[in-house]
Amino acid sequence: MAEQRIVKWGIMGPGGISDNFATELPYAPGAELVAVAGRSLDKAQAFAEKFSIPRAYGSCEELAADPDVEIVYIGTLHPIHVENALTLLRGGKSVLCEKPFTINAAEAREIADLAREKGLFLMEAMWTRYLPAIIKVREWLDSGAIGDVRIVKAEFGFDAGWNPEGRLLNKEKGGGTLLDAGIYPVSFASMVYGGEQPAKISSSVLIGETGVDEQFSLLFEYGNGRSASLHSAVRLSMTNEAVIYGTKGRIEIPRFLFAKAATLHVNGEEPVEFKQELEPSGHFYQAIEAMECLRTGRKESAALTVDETVRIMETLDRIREPWGLKYPSEA
């Protein structure tokens, strides 16, 4: 274990997801939240007061110039991620950027290139990768417990209701299922297949009144009989489970996005269940991973490399290309 030196954090974007992150950051040993910034200084100040953060700024540039901040969590709207990340990296800050990493792969590559040029740590905040149950799933897969993986099934969907001005259904804000909910099963399939992306993608999509994807079904084909069946929605409730089928058994993960348990079924043997209650909900595990990387001099996480993040963004681009779905920021 590396020395638990203090790591000083900043937050860019005093919104709902940042509220979750700030609430859970104290569960990460050695984390100290010292600054927050937003496009509205008033909102940043209110956020700072709520979480007893010493400094609040009205711009990303001011946060990037704060000499005490080592790493910044970006919790802004999807289309602003690239601007924020580039500004912070230019200011010498390491970055933990909320998913989706960017709107498209070109933006992701630009951020990745700058982080490498600057020699700074960079990581996508795909928090589920760092949950204890998901780590156990990777251990089972790496050990060959279920043999060769043949089929992955994963879904994540919820009914957000009808709010055309809200973020989820607003094209200007990068809304729709794919970038918000759908990225979870897509990233999960990438994890199971060791970062490999599909050779062939088939899909069915429902484009709603606001011009964004409200639900979709995907079939990924990887060759040699390997596939992934993925489903997601923002106006349709789902069970949100994942199952991995291999030649020697299967792994079941109820509510995989918030995984507290996973069960290993090896053919002819008694099931093995891994269970760990999360305190409070598990978002802090990604902060622990990021800080461990910083303390040991690593520039990325082995559980989700920067290259894999870029490849996943390339897959998301491929998925929506036949849908004819483009975001205003891409015009």
Side-chain angles (χ1 to χ4, degrees):
M1 178 69 70
E3 181 184 349
Q4 296 297 297
R5 69 168 177 82
I6 299 297
V7 173
K8 295 187 176 182
W9 287 81
I11 287 180
M12 181 60 214
I17 190 66
S18 294
D19 193 292
N20 292 342
F21 186 79
T23 298
E24 297 199 19
L25 191 59
Y27 290 85
E32 183 181 349
L33 183 52
V34 299
V36 60
R39 288 183 295 177
S40 162
L41 178 57
D42 288 344
K43 288 183 179 179
Q45 288 174 332
F47 192 95
E49 184 176 349
K50 178 178 180 179
F51 292 102
S52 301
I53 304 170
R55 295 184 292 283
Y57 300 113
S59 72
C60 188
E61 287 77 9
E62 290 173 281
L63 180 60
D66 188 322
D68 287 341
V69 174
E70 181 175 359
I71 182 170
V72 175
Y73 168 80
I74 297 176
T76 52
L77 294 174
H78 310 340
I80 311 172
H81 285 181
V82 62
E83 174 190 329
N84 292 157
L86 293 175
T87 297
L88 292 164
L89 289 167
R90 289 179 187 127
K93 309 307 180 192
S94 292
V95 168
L96 173 63
C97 185
E98 187 54 56
K99 63 80 202 166
F101 193 66
T102 48
I103 286 289
N104 55 43
E107 292 179 354
R109 283 191 289 268
E110 186 177 7
I111 295 171
D113 288 347
L114 182 59
R116 285 172 178 146
E117 177 187 323
K118 296 283 189 179
L120 292 166
F121 173 81
L122 178 64
M123 178 174 134
E124 181 183 7
M126 180 53 67
W127 67 289
T128 56
R129 290 269 176 127
Y130 306 98
L131 298 176
I134 299 301
I135 292 173
K136 176 56 68 174
V137 168
R138 287 204 298 273
E139 290 174 0
W140 286 335
L141 292 172
D142 291 344
S143 71
I146 62 168
D148 297 327
V149 175
R150 289 287 183 261
I151 295 175
V152 176
K153 290 171 61 178
E155 61 179 44
F156 177 47
F158 53 89
D159 185 359
W162 175 248
N163 180 10
E165 300 303 318
R167 176 182 63 83
L168 288 173
L169 299 180
N170 191 321
K171 206 172 185 180
E172 292 276 347
K173 296 178 180 178
T177 302
L178 184 62
L179 295 187
D180 192 88
I183 190 171
Y184 286 106
V186 171
S187 183
F188 182 79
S190 179
M191 180 194 78
V192 173
Y193 284 118
E196 183 179 352
Q197 303 304 302
K200 181 180 179 182
I201 300 173
S202 304
S203 69
S204 172
V205 66
L206 172 63
I207 303 293
E209 293 178 34
T210 62
V212 302
D213 55 310
E214 294 186 2
Q215 69 183 58
F216 64 75
S217 296
L218 301 172
L219 177 63
F220 286 179
E221 297 179 59
Y222 299 84
N224 297 320
R226 298 172 300 144
S227 68
S229 174
L230 312 175
H231 310 270
S232 191
V234 291
R235 298 194 66 200
L236 189 68
S237 295
M238 294 180 171
T239 61
N240 302 330
E241 68 177 359
V243 185
I244 307 167
Y245 295 96
T247 53
K248 295 180 181 179
R250 70 184 187 279
I251 299 171
E252 298 175 347
I253 313 162
R255 299 184 78 244
F256 82 96
L257 188 72
F258 317 95
K260 296 180 180 181
T263 304
L264 172 66
H265 297 265
V266 175
N267 297 340
E269 299 181 12
E270 288 296 312
V272 175
E273 184 181 32
F274 174 89
K275 203 168 190 178
Q276 180 164 331
E277 290 298 320
L278 303 179
E279 183 185 4
S281 67
H283 282 86
F284 65 93
Y285 287 110
Q286 62 187 347
I288 291 175
E289 172 70 9
M291 292 192 297
E292 185 66 10
C293 288
L294 288 172
R295 290 169 180 141
T296 55
R298 287 175 283 157
K299 306 304 180 185
E300 57 188 318
S301 168
L304 180 55
T305 65
V306 174
D307 282 343
E308 186 183 356
T309 285
V310 172
R311 291 196 300 269
I312 290 170
M313 292 309 308
E314 290 171 346
T315 296
L316 298 185
D317 287 354
R318 291 171 59 198
I319 290 168
R320 63 185 171 92
E321 183 178 5
W323 300 350
L325 176 57
K326 284 195 172 184
Y327 301 100
S329 62
E330 297 178 301

